Amino acid sequence: MTCCEGWTSCNGFSLLVLLLLGVVLNAIPLIVSLIDEDQSSQNPISCFEWWFPGIIGAGLMAIPATTTSLTARKRACCNNRTGMFLSSLFSVITVIGALYCMLISIQALLKGPLMCNSQGDSTANCEFSLKNISDIHLEAFNLQWFFNDSCAPPTGFKNPTSNDVMASDWRASSLHFNSEENKHRLIHFSVFLGLLLVGILELLFGISQIVIGFLGCLCGVSKRRSQIV
């Protein structure tokens, strides 16, 4: 097995783990919503999970590249230049899915749970578009809805500085499952931070497979096709 095939096989296994992790993370708020509310249409955590960033973006869109890359371990379709080219081509789909997962996760972390928005459980708070993404600025990521003692401060209340939030409010809101609000905030933060990390890793593995696939296509792979490992 050449270096190209070995790296492709490693990428396939890594993508498989990330794929499964993305699906599980995406399913967590959906399951909690069904258990707590008994209605799938009402969810105090969020509604960004209904865009399926982990199931579609990090999941289904990563299947072609994952399947093709894993065959390198058996020296199957990736044991030729065409196979390596296909693994590189399918990785483009993985990159697109990873970007989709990342963008939705960023938007979800910026907005916070539905209960932390002034409009309550309105699904208008979970609109996702490229325009919304382009309006995001770094200073908007203060995550006060997570660090504050309450994610919905009273009207006219002056927002504390980020240092005050980190120093005092983090201790004040223990963020355990001692209240419904803390539980929903912690689930929302954990799920979409996890999906963001999954998207970043899938993006890196996808780009690396695009590069290694083209190298395998140009330089060739091993010729021992008769042996099955």
Side-chain angles (χ1 to χ4, degrees), residues 66-209:
T66 302
T67 304
T68 305
S69 298
L70 285 175
T71 57
R73 185 178 297 273
K74 296 297 183 180
R75 297 180 183 174
C77 69
C78 276
N79 197 32
N80 54 68
R81 296 175 187 268
T82 302
M84 295 301 294
F85 175 76
L86 287 176
S87 71
S88 180
L89 185 62
F90 288 147
S91 293
V92 176
I93 303 177
T94 300
V95 169
I96 295 175
L99 289 173
Y100 176 75
C101 180
M102 290 170 57
L103 291 177
I104 292 182
S105 300
I106 291 173
Q107 187 76 358
L109 288 173
L110 178 64
K111 292 288 187 178
L114 284 176
M115 62 170 54
C116 295
N117 289 275
S118 58
Q119 297 178 4
D121 291 348
S122 173
T123 56
N125 291 316
C126 290
E127 293 179 355
F128 171 73
S129 66
L130 294 179
K131 181 181 182 300
N132 292 338
I133 295 297
S134 63
D135 292 338
I136 293 177
H137 304 287
L138 292 178
E139 57 269 17
F141 283 94
N142 49 32
L143 296 180
Q144 288 189 10
W145 60 265
F146 180 70
F147 291 110
N148 285 347
D149 191 22
S150 175
C151 66
T155 304
F157 179 77
K158 183 179 180 181
N159 289 331
T161 63
S162 58
N163 292 333
D164 294 335
V165 170
M166 294 296 294
S168 60
D169 287 338
W170 171 253
R171 301 188 187 94
S173 59
S174 56
L175 289 175
H176 296 302
F177 286 174
N178 56 354
S179 70
E180 285 297 313
E181 179 183 309
N182 279 349
K183 181 180 74 171
H184 293 318
R185 282 195 289 169
L186 186 58
I187 291 175
H188 181 91
F189 179 81
S190 302
V191 165
F192 287 104
L193 180 61
L195 286 175
L196 178 60
L197 295 176
V198 167
I200 292 174
L201 291 175
E202 281 197 357
L203 177 66
L204 296 177
F205 282 118
I207 292 176
S208 68
Q209 185 54 41

